[in-house]
Amino acid sequence: FEHRMRLYGLRHGAISIWRGDFCESADVQRVLPAADVLLVNNYAFDSALNQNLLQMFLDLKDGARIISLRPFVTPDYKINARNVYAPESILAVRRYPYWSNCVSWTDSGGEYFVQTVDRTRVRQFLARSNALA
């Protein structure tokens, strides 16, 4: 990591790299609430693992961003009475393209997703629901 950062002329803050199951790691659980950005290369993850990650994202602070290759929430997700308490409801998602020869794992282009933790929409939905009740 240090070598690549020097090679690219990039500066960075303190960093820790761990190996293991991040769903079971006490270190990961400890740092999630303070994280600003989470990079999740979930291209080959199964739905069960993505669901486990969604549960972990509940510990993220508002404004934290999750960058992933597969969306954790669809871009057209709408909060309603049935899903207001689902983990997906705290995520606002934007889709971005990457072009051919831009990433190390494929020569073809594709897309990536930036999900931002935003509980405002949940609060607004609940406030509207309570006002109607």
Side-chain angles (χ1 to χ4, degrees):
F1 176 79
E2 294 291 338
H3 175 73
R4 283 190 181 192
M5 292 296 103
R6 281 193 304 277
L7 181 69
Y8 297 135
L10 298 174
R11 295 182 329 168
H12 62 85
I15 186 165
S16 296
I17 299 174
W18 302 309
R19 184 177 183 176
D21 184 342
F22 45 80
C23 290
E24 301 297 326
S25 170
D27 290 325
V28 171
Q29 296 298 325
R30 183 179 45 78
V31 299
L32 272 181
D36 294 314
V37 177
L38 211 58
L39 177 61
V40 182
N41 187 352
N42 64 335
Y43 186 79
F45 291 0
D46 64 20
S47 61
L49 181 52
N50 279 325
Q51 285 300 313
N52 284 344
L53 290 173
L54 273 168
Q55 293 298 317
M56 293 173 69
F57 296 161
L58 291 171
D59 292 333
L60 294 171
K61 63 186 175 187
D62 274 7
R65 296 198 174 154
I66 304 155
I67 302 167
S68 63
L69 293 174
R70 298 278 187 244
F72 287 97
V73 58
T74 60
D76 60 347
Y77 185 86
K78 302 282 188 244
I79 297 174
N80 60 48
R82 289 182 303 141
N83 67 16
V84 67
Y85 296 109
E88 293 91 341
S89 294
I90 69 167
L91 299 177
V93 63
R94 293 195 63 188
R95 179 188 325 223
Y96 296 94
Y98 63 84
W99 294 272
S100 58
N101 298 314
C102 286
V103 295
S104 61
W105 60 88
T106 182
D107 291 336
S108 53
E111 56 190 12
Y112 67 97
F113 301 85
V114 177
Q115 286 98 169
T116 303
V117 176
D118 181 5
R119 292 174 176 87
T120 306
R121 297 178 313 137
V122 171
R123 286 191 291 271
Q124 290 171 343
F125 179 86
L126 292 171
R128 281 192 308 272
S129 297
N130 290 337
L132 296 174

